[in-house]
Amino acid sequence: MPTLDIKLIELPKITDPRGNLTVAEGAGVVPFDIKRAYWVYDVPGGESRGGHAHKRLRQLVVALSGSFTVTLDNGYERRTVLLNHPWQGLIIETNTWRTLDDFSSGAVCLVLASDHFEEDDYIYDYQEFLNYIGCSK
């Protein structure tokens, strides 16, 4: 049974009295080349985002503002991580089911992705995900 590895990385935080700066560079700080960036915001109270897995795509998820939880599931184990610092990112590997919940008011979620959008890379059905990874629950 594979163990679910949680990978939180610290992004460089440059402290300045005029305002702090954080950098996320691909193939350096971020452990993959960044091909796409998007952000999620104005999530109504009680709503969830995610609810899928990727076959090939890797992601770095950052709470730019506010907070939210990310639940990761590898078919055998499920773990939840609170993201609430703009200098900290969560790496989500391939073949990992994810849901994002508990968005605070004004939360902004940045996602840096290792590839461009490809519909066939997504698995939206949890049972299909379990079948794909060979997990017999």
Side-chain angles (χ1 to χ4, degrees):
M1 175 169 25
T3 302
L4 184 58
D5 189 21
I6 301 296
K7 296 178 188 165
L8 280 171
I9 63 171
E10 296 290 318
L11 300 167
K13 179 180 177 184
I14 301 163
T15 304
D16 187 303
R18 301 169 298 161
N20 299 331
L21 176 88
T22 293
V23 177
E25 294 178 321
V29 174
V30 178
F32 52 80
D33 286 330
I34 300 165
K35 301 256 179 85
R36 188 170 83 130
Y38 63 92
W39 43 100
V40 178
Y41 54 96
D42 292 341
V43 178
E47 289 296 323
S48 292
R49 296 296 310 220
H52 64 270
H54 289 282
K55 300 171 189 172
R56 298 175 299 277
L57 188 81
R58 299 172 70 198
Q59 296 177 317
L60 175 72
V61 178
V62 179
L64 289 183
S65 179
S67 65
F68 51 89
T69 60
V70 181
T71 301
L72 302 178
D73 181 336
N74 67 356
Y76 301 92
E77 184 181 0
R78 191 175 282 170
R79 294 183 56 197
T80 299
V81 177
L82 173 66
L83 293 180
N84 61 354
H85 300 295
W87 65 87
Q88 189 177 61
L90 176 65
I91 300 290
I92 303 179
E93 297 292 347
T94 59
N95 302 325
T96 304
W97 190 267
R98 82 285 321 270
T99 57
L100 286 71
D101 297 290
D102 306 319
F103 285 84
S104 68
S105 178
V108 178
C109 169
L110 171 68
V111 180
L112 303 178
S114 65
D115 214 339
H116 301 287
F117 175 81
E118 292 181 34
E119 184 66 37
D120 71 340
D121 183 54
Y122 284 74
I123 304 172
Y124 291 109
D125 179 79
Y126 187 72
Q127 188 58 54
E128 182 183 331
F129 163 68
L130 293 176
N131 294 342
Y132 180 80
I133 62 170
C135 179
S136 57
K137 270 192 172 178

